[in-house]
Amino acid sequence: TTIPNDASFASLWGLRNTGQTVNGDPGTAGRDIHATSAWDVSTGSTANVVAVVDTGVDYTHPDLAANIWSAPSAFTVTIGGTNITCAAGTHGFNAINKTCNPMDDNNHGTHVAGTIGAVGNNGVGVVGVNWNVKIMALKFLSASGSGAISGAISCLDYAVSHGAKLSNNSWGGGGYSSTMAAAIGRAQSAGHIFVAAAGNNGQNNDVTAFYPASYIQSYNNVVTVAATDSSDALASFSNYGASSVTLAAPGVGILSTTPNNTYSSFSGTSMASPHVTGAIALYWGANPTLSYTQVIDKLKTSVDVLSNLSGVVATGGRLNVAKMITSGPAPTLGPKVVTAVYSGAVTTQFDKVRVTFDKDIDAS
């Protein structure tokens, strides 16, 4: 298996669980998303853009900077009837002050971004599920962690219109919004996957809706994520739902990037969701021609099914990115060229397959 040299990799139990102690509790080896086996196949693609709809991202963080999306050219966005021009090289959008500077002043968005795509194998800090990816920073939550639904809609529309194939939405609250629902519908029409945290109320979302996660009941591009600990138990705070929560992922004691070249350990379904977003990005980057429905189907059928998650989440399982990517469709290969002198039956050197010709070979 492919092991990166990042200094704190041993602490990232969600990627590789060796039974290390997390928050004072020993984990259970193997209860992880099996990232190291997935990295044998792919470590990500910078052609894949992932939007982080959150408190912004510290795009100068040394463990993120190389994987931050930059606008290839200047462009103008229209928000609330106001035209905002963003220069080439800017890294996303700030829906709070209507600027092109999505710098994080809270911690949360930078932490989420690190789990998705902290630079891998650079000898320092942590590593994301993707060693290589492009993270688009979209800020609608303030330094205090609050924001308006209208800002979330602006960020999602921005992501879809600027090439992000999926977004991570580790936020919740505000109840049902027809305008937010319409924005997710527009994203669905564009083939964009909307990954949402299930929520931290310890509630059954089948009974009590939690938004935006509960938009899964109306749109098939929504993936919702519960949190598990390092022994695969559902976290005590995690929301769940046999029909309204898709799967579980590591969300307790997750170490990741925080602003100003720091690292912190957080817990929440906010931390579980980016594991899934990162896994989708890794798989889709290796299989870029697949539709969003094919990708989501693959995610669902690749989980590690666990008895304690049966009837708790729709798939009954926890994310397994290795199973996703190692059993995916075969890569597209170029033409095979075999040069041979015809003498009845020949064996090619390329495939070591016995080939019998029943007619003369065209010299061309």
Side-chain angles (χ1 to χ4, degrees):
T1 56
T2 302
I3 307 298
N5 63 12
D6 301 82
S8 296
F9 176 67
S11 298
L12 305 181
W13 72 265
L15 304 184
R16 185 182 64 159
N17 191 341
T18 60
Q20 62 266 58
T21 298
V22 179
N23 294 338
D25 296 320
T28 304
R31 304 299 176 89
D32 54 52
I33 72 167
H34 309 296
T36 57
S37 295
W39 293 334
D40 289 344
V41 179
S42 174
T43 54
S45 169
T46 56
N48 213 5
V49 180
V50 180
V52 174
V53 180
D54 212 290
T55 63
V57 175
D58 181 357
Y59 47 79
T60 66
H61 195 296
D63 224 3
L64 291 172
N67 282 351
I68 296 293
W69 175 84
S70 295
S73 59
F75 60 91
T76 299
V77 293
T78 302
I79 303 296
T82 301
N83 292 331
I84 302 155
T85 299
C86 296
T90 51
H91 305 299
F93 181 67
N94 184 325
I96 298 174
N97 57 22
K98 307 297 190 295
T99 70
C100 311
N101 182 8
M103 179 58 74
D104 186 8
D105 53 7
N106 173 278
N107 286 329
H108 193 269
T110 302
H111 195 279
V112 165
T115 297
I116 295 168
V119 178
N121 216 40
N122 62 352
V124 297
V126 296
V127 58
V129 180
N130 296 262
W131 300 11
N132 306 283
V133 71
K134 287 302 175 187
I135 295 171
M136 178 186 288
L138 299 170
K139 179 177 177 63
F140 87 102
L141 296 172
S142 68
S144 66
S146 62
I149 291 296
S150 60
I153 293 168
S154 296
C155 288
L156 181 58
D157 284 342
Y158 180 104
V160 172
S161 63
H162 287 85
K165 297 176 70 172
L166 70 156
S167 58
N168 188 88
N169 298 271
S170 288
W171 57 273
Y176 178 83
S177 163
S178 59
T179 53
M180 186 71 216
I184 293 174
R186 291 191 293 273
Q188 177 181 285
S189 296
H192 175 101
I193 296 175
F194 184 97
V195 182
N200 301 331
N201 305 319
Q203 72 181 30
N204 185 343
N205 287 359
D206 291 356
V207 177
T208 305
F210 179 83
Y211 294 100
S214 291
Y215 291 113
I216 193 172
Q217 304 287 24
S218 303
Y219 299 99
N220 69 358
N221 64 323
V222 178
V223 172
T224 54
V225 189
T228 49
D229 65 17
S230 58
S231 293
D232 265 343
L234 185 74
S236 60
F237 55 78
S238 181
N239 290 5
Y240 57 95
S243 66
S244 58
V245 177
T246 311
L247 77 169
V252 177
I254 304 301
L255 181 67
S256 187
T257 49
T258 41
N260 302 312
N261 195 18
T262 60
Y263 300 86
S264 302
S265 181
F266 295 163
S267 297
T269 57
S270 284
M271 286 60 252
S273 179
H275 282 88
V276 172
T277 301
I280 291 172
L282 192 72
Y283 177 69
W284 217 349
N287 301 279
T289 62
L290 296 184
S291 69
Y292 80 92
T293 55
Q294 289 175 305
V295 172
I296 292 174
D297 287 346
K298 187 63 178 179
L299 172 74
K300 291 177 178 179
T301 58
S302 300
V303 299
D304 284 337
V305 176
L306 305 171
S307 59
N308 63 301
L309 295 180
S310 176
V312 174
V313 296
T315 59
R318 184 249 310 124
L319 173 67
N320 184 330
V321 65
K323 196 180 294 184
M324 279 186 77
I325 202 163
T326 58
S327 59
T332 301
L333 301 175
K336 300 178 182 180
V337 179
V338 178
T339 301
V341 176
Y342 176 64
S343 59
V346 299
T347 301
T348 72
Q349 291 300 308
F350 190 92
D351 282 333
K352 295 187 171 67
V353 175
R354 180 72 62 182
V355 179
T356 302
F357 296 101
D358 60 6
K359 61 182 178 180
D360 290 343
I361 300 173
D362 186 342
S364 65

